[in-house]
Amino acid sequence: MPEHPCPPCVHYVGFRDDRYWNAYRIFGGPRFIHRRWDHRARRDIGRGDVVIFASGDEHQPVVQHNGNDLDEGTE
């Protein structure tokens, strides 16, 4: 059976203020909202996904404790 690749997901990381709406206007709505850059966020990001950070980038330190995330997908 052929493998069907998933379309890229958009992940927002660390948004807590008006920057969320600015990013939304530019990149569209996220599929996942990660409240912090933690191990769960890193694990959820797939090849080809788009990750938008409120501040910093993927090289910032990963926090020790996972935060709760939001999955904006419809099922």
Side-chain angles (χ1 to χ4, degrees):
M1 196 168 193
E3 184 178 323
H4 297 281
C6 296
C9 291
V10 177
H11 300 260
Y12 283 9
V13 179
F15 284 86
R16 299 183 187 275
D17 53 22
D18 289 343
R19 288 179 286 183
Y20 172 87
W21 294 111
N22 293 335
Y24 190 96
R25 282 192 287 274
I26 295 169
F27 299 103
R31 173 69 186 344
F32 294 98
I33 299 173
H34 306 283
R35 297 182 192 270
R36 40 169 83 180
W37 186 231
D38 55 22
H39 294 287
R40 180 186 299 166
R42 289 177 54 145
R43 186 175 55 243
D44 285 348
I45 296 167
R47 173 175 281 199
D49 285 357
V50 176
V51 183
I52 312 300
F53 289 88
S55 62
D57 60 17
E58 74 274 10
H59 301 293
Q60 62 187 291
V62 176
V63 298
Q64 288 292 332
H65 302 287
N66 290 337
N68 57 340
D69 298 334
L70 302 173
D71 183 346
E72 296 293 303
T74 57
E75 298 184 23

